[in-house]
Structures are given as C-alpha cells and as structure tokens.
Amino acid sequence: MDLRLPDELVALFSVGEPTATTDGDLLDSVATWGPATTPIGTFQLVPVRIERDLALISRWMNDPAVAAFWELSGPETVTAGHLRAQLEGDGRSVPCLGLLDTTPMSYFELYRADLDPLARHYPARPHDTGVHLLIGSVADRGRGVGTALLRAVADLVLGHRPRCTRVIAEPDLRNTPSVSAFLSAGFRFSAEVDLPDKRAALMVRDRALRHVL
C-alpha cells in the first residue's frame, strides 16, 4: 500500500512559514515522521499552522464534551493563544492535526513530559513523551477510533524517538472514555496524581511492552 499523501494534500499541509516543529525541536522532528497504517485507515500527524488550522481546532474546542476537559472554549483568540504558546516556544510541545485517510479529524499535542511541570508529580525519566488527544467529530467517538489513534501515535513516538522509553498520558480521572481508550491502546494505569487543574490517571505505555500490550 502506498502511504504517501496525495500531492494536493502535501501542498496544503506544507506551505507557509516554518515553525519550531520542523527543525531543531526537542521531539525529533515530528513533521518528518510520515504516515502509519491503522485498522481504521492511514493516519498521519501534521504539525499545526495557525493560519490554516485555527478555525477548525477552535470549533472542536467549543464542543461541550471537549470543553469540559480542555477548558479552551470561547472565541478563536483563546485557542490561538494556546497554540502560539507551543509554536513560539522551544519545541518541547508540538501541536498536531491528526489526519485519517487525508481528512483532519483529531488534535494531538506531543510534549516532553520530563521537561513539563508534570514531571514534578511522577518519577519522570529522560525523554518521557506525553500525549494529549481530542477527537473532533462526535461520529468518531465511542467506537474505538480513539484507541486506534492512541496506539498509532504511541508507536510513532517509540519508532521515531529511540531515546524515549515510555509514552505518558494524564487524562482527567472523570473522563472515563479517555482512560478506557488509553487502556485499550496498550497503556497501563500507573497512579492517580493531583495536578494543579485536575486529579489525573497517569497512563504509561512502555517500550519494553510495546509488542505485548
């Protein structure tokens, strides 16, 4: 199977000014990782560009089910500020659209958990990589899509970041569908952690168990 994006999609998701996600970042150049085959289609992470993606991501953030946990509802300026903080930073967090069969349908943040304030709340290891996720369409929720994407993203991280031994997540404990999706994607529940804005389930996918769970 040819996993390359069509030329028109390559052009759409390649134009514009370069950002910290394309070179010199702390996450081994997410923009170069390429696509992955999943049970539900061909998936690819594409680093966000505000001028192209803001309206779509802001619309997702204003979905009540998303807003309850992301707390980024409101005008586009709210989402823009959240994205710019990452894009104009040092590359320790990379916001991405998730494309399934070339259609943007999810939003991911990959971040250096060991360099994040989260590291104060668990025994972090060098190059621990964290992941945040939202599914944009209601039709894609509750039918295993999140599980398939989380497994694909964890595999991409472990496949392209050889120094990373664990993928980390910290969903809100109240968000039981999210916790369940992580468990089904091969993450294990490690601990409950009290973070400044929530009580979270610390989820871990270990490189050593990558092909077992």
Side-chain angles (χ1 to χ4, degrees), residues 21 31 33 58 84-85 110 114 133 140 166 178 197 199 209:
T21 62
W33 288 3
S58 180
R84 285 198 178 95
L110 301 184
D114 60 322
L133 160 71
D140 286 328
R166 306 186 300 180
S178 179
D197 59 343
R199 186 163 181 80
L209 301 177

Side-chain angles (χ1 to χ4, degrees), residues 40-165:
I40 59 173
T42 300
F43 176 77
Q44 184 159 8
L45 291 169
V46 177
V48 163
R49 291 204 175 102
I50 289 181
E51 69 278 9
R52 181 191 65 203
D53 305 324
L54 176 60
L56 177 62
I57 298 172
S58 180
R59 187 170 79 241
W60 291 342
M61 291 296 183
N62 278 279
D63 180 317
V66 173
F69 296 104
W70 283 78
E71 300 182 344
L72 289 172
S73 61
E76 288 186 358
T77 51
V78 175
T79 299
H82 179 75
L83 295 173
R84 285 198 178 95
Q86 298 172 80
L87 295 171
E88 296 174 2
D90 61 6
R92 70 181 61 192
S93 182
V94 179
C96 296
L97 285 181
L99 276 61
L100 187 63
D101 293 331
T102 72
T103 299
M105 48 71 68
S106 54
Y107 171 74
F108 283 83
E109 292 172 355
L110 301 184
Y111 66 98
R112 284 285 299 271
D114 60 322
L115 303 179
D116 188 83
L118 175 64
R120 304 188 192 114
H121 300 275
Y122 83 104
R125 298 178 187 171
H127 296 282
D128 276 355
T129 303
V131 58
H132 297 144
L133 160 71
L134 72 82
I135 303 294
S137 172
V138 174
D140 286 328
R141 300 175 195 159
R143 59 185 188 91
V145 172
T147 292
L149 299 188
L150 286 168
R151 184 176 290 275
V153 169
D155 284 343
L156 284 168
V157 170
L158 295 172
H160 291 274
R161 302 207 66 234
R163 294 171 293 180
C164 171
T165 63

